[in-house]
Structures are given as structure tokens and as C-alpha cells.
Amino acid sequence: MSETTAAPDMLSWTCPAPLRDRPRVVMGHGGGGALSAELVEQVIVPALGGREPAPPTDSATVELGGARLAFSTDSFVVRPLFFPGGSIGDLAVNGTVNDLAMSGARPAFLSCGLILEEGVGIDTVARVAEALGAAAHAAGVRVVTGDTKVVEAGHGDGVYINTSGIGLIQSGVDLRPERVVPGDVVIVSGAVGVHGVAIMSERENLRFEVEIVSDCAPLGGLVEAMLAVTPDLRVLRDPTRGGLAASLNEIATASGTGIVVQERAVPVPAPVASACAMLGLDPMYVANEGKLVAFVPREHADAVLAAMRAHERGSEAAIIGEVVADHPGMVVARTGLGGTRVVDMPLGEQLPRIC
């Protein structure tokens, strides 16, 4: 592994660990971890009339005219706008499409809101729009409405995007963390930590022996292949902000069960493992944009795993753990040395602005 001669400021790679009672927003509030949850539960949900926070899901399930729909929205502020394997345009489509797919929905329609900074190049906006259109076509969805706003120079960072999506949930599908029970098997669809390290390497001008490319991709087809085996999947999640660790902790808390992960079973590419070791990062906390984690009844696990490996988006799928009755609400990892460590919910985010 080699590094450019221009050494980056290592202090800028991680967010500070702010106190939870700070009176102002800090970067960690956008990291998908404990601080994000507290902001939503203690400030936003009560202000909108909610009394108790809903179980964490990637999209809301609503009914309209007798149809069950998944509805999701997401905002994208990634820096830089273009990175190995994708761009903010790709993320804006795939991030929302995948949130819909995690509810068992077939994504259909997207909205797109662009917030542009005064002075950004029209050619940059065109590149982003072209990437967004190509990603929508590849995911099989249509962008049917949108909006554009411009803010003064110095009050943005080039391009921000918000996308919302609607998809139709298949009959008989009920994916919720509350359905998880002891004995269920935990499957991940492929290598973790790739997207976050790809963003970091481009942002900090790091170079490794092997280029690390983002895994940004739509997962709707993979989910359909899994549901074709059995609609009785417990829950699906795409581990973006906060990585695999955040998703597992959310599901353990919502289901009131414990989760045991075999650390060596988690697929981490060698270049990602080396980069994380050099930078003091844990791959389980690094964001992904083209992977999912599935909780599957044990009797269906082998068949679902085979279907995933037969699909291009799940060729490296692996069983990484199981659900247990012990230590409810807690995730633990069994290390290669035979020990056990607690995998906590991240407070903030190791790498801010990765999506």
C-alpha cells in the first residue's frame, strides 16, 4: 500500500465525539448513529405530533386505494461529488431505490430536488443530471417530478440532492424488525466498507495499491430474487450511514433480541481491511451503498443464500451470524482469537458526508 506524499490532515477524518446534551447541531447528528436517533426522537418526532418513535425502517409503509406502498425520502450531501464507482447522482437514485426495496417494494417513481450553489459549473450540473438519469434507467424507475433551488456562493457545496420514492409492496411481504426471533440467520449480500473507504480515498487524495471503488448499486433485483424463494423474510436493511454495526444494533433494539456475529465471516476486501487498519477505522462501521443485510428464518437460510449468490449483486453473500435470546438489544462479535467484543451503536460517524 502506498500513500501520496501530500499527507492529509488526519484529524479531519473523524467527527469529534460531541456531548449528547450540546445545544447546537454537530456533524455527528447526521451520522445515522445514536446522536441522529436522539435528534429525531427528542426534537423532530414530538414537534410533528408523534408521541413514540416508530421502529427504525428504511421507508414507511402506507395504504392507498387498497394498495400497500413504500414511501421514502433521502438527502445527499456527499463530498466530493464524483468518486471512484459513482457520483452524487448515482447515490441519489440508488439510495432511495434501495430504501424502498428494503420494505419488499418494487420501486416505481422518484422525485428529485436539486439545491445548487451559485457559481457551480453548468457542466458539473449536467454530469450529475446525466448520472442520475442513467442510474434511474438502470434501476427501472422514473423521475416524475422535481424542483431546483439556488443558494448564494459560500452557502452550499456545489450540489445537494433530495430524492423521494414510491414503490408497490408485493402481496404477502411483511418486513419488520419486530418479526426477528432467536434462531434467525443473519446474511450480508457482499463485502462491507467499500463505499466509505472509496469516498475517503478520493477526498483525502490517498492512493492504495488496488483502487477501491464504491459499491453504489440498486438492490431491487436482488430483493426480488430473495422473495421468490420465500416471502417470509424477517427484515432487510441496507447498511449505509453507520455501516453494518448501526443496522444490526437498530434491529437488535427493535426486536428485543441479541445478535452474535462471527467476525471472520464478515466479508471485508483486503484493500479495505488494510486501509481501515492504517487509518484506525472499523469496517463494520463504514458505510455501504450497494449491500444489504437480511434476517432469515433458519429453515430458509440456505435457499435464500443460494438465490443471492446466483444474482450479480449478491455473488459474495455470506452468513455472518445468528439471532439469540441472550443479551437482548445487544450485538456482539466473536473474534478470530476466540474472544467476544461488543459492537456498539456508533455515536456519530467515522466518515462524515459519505452519502
Side-chain angles (χ1 to χ4, degrees), residues 31-33 239-247 284-288 345-346 348-349 354:
T240 53
R241 295 178 305 167
L244 181 61
S247 292
M284 289 186 67
Y285 290 87
V286 178
N288 313 272
M345 170 68 89
E349 191 170 28
I354 43 71

Side-chain angles (χ1 to χ4, degrees), residues 322-344:
E322 64 180 339
V323 179
V324 297
D326 298 334
H327 50 78
M330 182 181 295
V331 181
V332 301
R334 290 179 179 159
T335 69
L337 298 177
T340 301
R341 68 181 179 96
V342 175
V343 181
D344 286 325

Side-chain angles (χ1 to χ4, degrees), residues 78 80-88 90-91 195 198-199 202 214 216 354:
V78 65
L81 298 177
F82 305 94
F83 47 83
S87 70
I88 191 172
D90 300 281
L91 283 176
H195 174 74
I199 293 292
E202 187 70 12
S214 171
C216 182
I354 43 71

Side-chain angles (χ1 to χ4, degrees), residues 65-117:
R68 292 176 64 226
L69 303 175
F71 179 39
S72 183
T73 189
D74 207 343
S75 299
F76 299 87
V77 297
V78 65
R79 180 171 59 86
L81 298 177
F82 305 94
F83 47 83
S87 70
I88 191 172
D90 300 281
L91 283 176
V93 171
N94 293 331
T96 297
V97 163
N98 291 345
D99 283 349
L100 297 173
M102 296 307 105
S103 291
R106 178 172 294 173
F109 303 111
L110 296 181
S111 70
C112 175
L114 297 174
I115 301 174
L116 309 176
E117 182 184 18

Side-chain angles (χ1 to χ4, degrees), residues 139-308:
V141 296
R142 292 171 53 203
V143 180
V144 294
T145 188
D147 184 43
T148 303
K149 293 291 191 297
V150 177
V151 297
E152 300 91 341
H155 291 264
D157 200 356
V159 179
Y160 298 151
I161 302 178
N162 172 272
T163 48
S164 295
I166 295 175
L168 183 64
I169 299 177
Q170 300 182 37
S171 177
V173 174
D174 183 19
L175 302 179
R176 294 178 290 117
E178 298 93 334
R179 297 188 64 239
V180 171
V181 296
D184 288 346
V185 172
V186 183
I187 304 176
V188 69
S189 65
V192 303
V194 181
H195 174 74
V197 173
I199 293 292
M200 181 206 62
S201 65
E202 187 70 12
R203 184 185 298 171
E204 304 296 347
N205 197 29
L206 296 175
R207 294 295 179 266
F208 305 105
E209 293 179 357
V210 177
E211 184 181 31
I212 300 174
V213 178
S214 171
D215 59 351
C216 182
L219 297 173
L222 175 60
V223 172
E224 289 192 12
M226 297 166 66
L227 291 172
V229 175
T230 174
D232 189 30
L233 305 179
R234 304 295 196 202
V235 67
L236 302 176
R237 187 64 53 86
D238 60 332
T240 53
R241 295 178 305 167
L244 181 61
S247 292
L248 294 178
N249 272 278
E250 288 175 353
I251 292 169
T253 299
S255 63
T257 63
I259 298 173
V260 177
V261 174
Q262 302 296 330
E263 197 168 58
R264 285 189 173 179
V266 178
V268 180
V272 171
S274 297
C276 287
M278 182 183 77
L279 302 172
L281 304 176
D282 185 336
M284 289 186 67
Y285 290 87
V286 178
N288 313 272
E289 285 293 343
K291 299 298 187 302
L292 65 79
V293 58
F295 285 67
V296 182
R298 185 172 296 277
E299 62 268 25
H300 298 305
D302 289 341
V304 170
L305 180 64
M308 294 174 72

